[in-house]
Amino acid sequence: MTHAITFSETGGPDVLKWSEIGVPSPNAGEVRLRHTAIGLNFIDTYHRSGLYPMPLPAIPGIEGVGVVEEVGEGVTHLSKGDRVGYPAGPAGAYAQVRNIPADKLVEIPDSVSDQDAAALLLKGCTVEFLIRRLYRVNSGDTVLFHAAAGGVGLIACQWLSSIGATIIGTVGSEEKAKVARENGCTHTVLYRDEDFQEAVMDITDGQGVPVVYDSVGAATFDKSLDCLSRRGMMVTFGNATGPVPPVAPGLLAQKGSLILTRPTLMDYVAERDDLVSASASVMAKIATGAIRSNIRQIFALEHATQAHIALEARKTSGQSILTP
């Protein structure tokens, strides 16, 4: 027997329970994985709260790193002892041991530690698709990135600055502003103290930005639209302050023929080739030092409730991980 964090009803962090579970031998196409580090991500709270429904009872978590303990029938690209990770599920990462489809796993190079991989894989793959495949940011472009001192935000600042982009990042405190700037953010805006739309227009001489990346949700959406230049793209990829209300398509026309999208990493790594390519890009950026982990919180897996409380209260910065 082994242990996992489970929940049998949706709700607040208190629904998470430290439970004893059994893990059978892997089915065909699966491997048995012993986790060494687990990523903590906002999507975990959406699953727990019911915002993103999943069958119950459930084990949350969609990012993990570990060692292959057993290989199921038909798996040829992995062997016992391999170090592997996964950035986009399936859910069930909050466990000491789990079975997982082998085609969802990528190998972790020796140059990358387990903790760094757990901190960077999902968030790095998210940044990769946001700035390379969804809207390709080029050198000289200026972008607005909300929550610039968060787990995804810091990696985005590092990656964007490495390609010569200008980043306007919103943050919640001067401490977080300092962290964002240390990681490549060009301009920081304390959204509690100043109007970020006015700041964006001042920085861009009234032109606005071609793309806004927003994981905050309801609290920043409306003003973010007003930060965009004509035919700009609004990328809403998270709901930290709640989901965005319905939007009339005509509003996008009135504000300059804007493009609105609500992407998820899962759709951008659904195909094996995309998963491998995105992960390889992240590992390459780590190898060159263009992106690096900024692990500021480490929680024991059995203390996942406290981890969710801190995450939802926006008391974390950088990346957070769980250790089995």
Side-chain angles (χ1 to χ4, degrees), residues 5 15 17 21 32 48 91 101 104-107 112 131 140 152 165 174 182 189 203 236 254 279 320:
I5 294 292
V15 302
K17 307 298 180 187
I21 63 167
R32 177 176 169 136
R48 185 214 72 225
K104 299 299 183 183
L105 297 170
V106 295
E107 292 191 63
V112 179
I131 70 173
V152 173
E174 185 52 53
E182 289 172 348
V189 181
I203 292 167
T236 173
Q254 294 169 17
S279 300
S320 305

Side-chain angles (χ1 to χ4, degrees), residues 141-302:
D141 287 345
T142 299
V143 308
L144 172 60
F145 212 104
H146 288 295
V152 173
L154 289 183
I155 298 170
C157 289
Q158 294 169 8
W159 199 321
L160 287 165
S161 65
S162 78
I163 63 173
T166 297
I167 311 109
I168 305 171
T170 63
V171 294
S173 67
E174 185 52 53
E175 179 185 3
K176 290 188 175 184
K178 182 175 182 291
V179 172
R181 289 192 295 269
E182 289 172 348
N183 284 269
C185 190
T186 319
H187 307 278
T188 53
V189 181
L190 275 66
Y191 68 87
R192 292 190 178 101
D193 301 330
E194 52 189 316
D195 187 313
F196 70 79
Q197 182 211 344
E198 291 182 3
V200 167
M201 289 304 169
D202 182 57
I203 292 167
T204 62
D205 295 325
Q207 297 301 304
V209 294
V211 61
V212 174
Y213 296 108
D214 187 359
S215 63
V216 176
T220 50
F221 181 80
D222 290 340
K223 282 197 171 184
S224 291
L225 292 180
D226 293 327
C227 292
L228 287 165
S229 55
R230 183 177 289 114
R231 297 187 312 204
M233 179 180 286
M234 177 66 196
V235 183
T236 173
F237 67 100
N239 313 284
T241 60
V244 174
V247 179
L251 180 66
L252 303 176
Q254 294 169 17
K255 291 183 178 293
S257 299
L258 304 180
I259 300 167
L260 170 62
T261 182
R262 179 60 173 87
T264 69
L265 173 62
M266 291 71 176
D267 287 323
Y268 279 81
V269 294
E271 301 297 328
R272 174 73 184 170
D273 286 349
D274 288 332
L275 171 63
V276 172
S277 175
S279 300
S281 294
V282 172
M283 295 303 162
K285 284 289 183 181
I286 297 172
T288 64
I291 65 172
R292 57 200 179 279
S293 69
N294 196 319
I295 301 170
R296 291 178 163 252
Q297 298 81 209
I298 299 177
F299 300 91
L301 177 59
E302 62 187 295

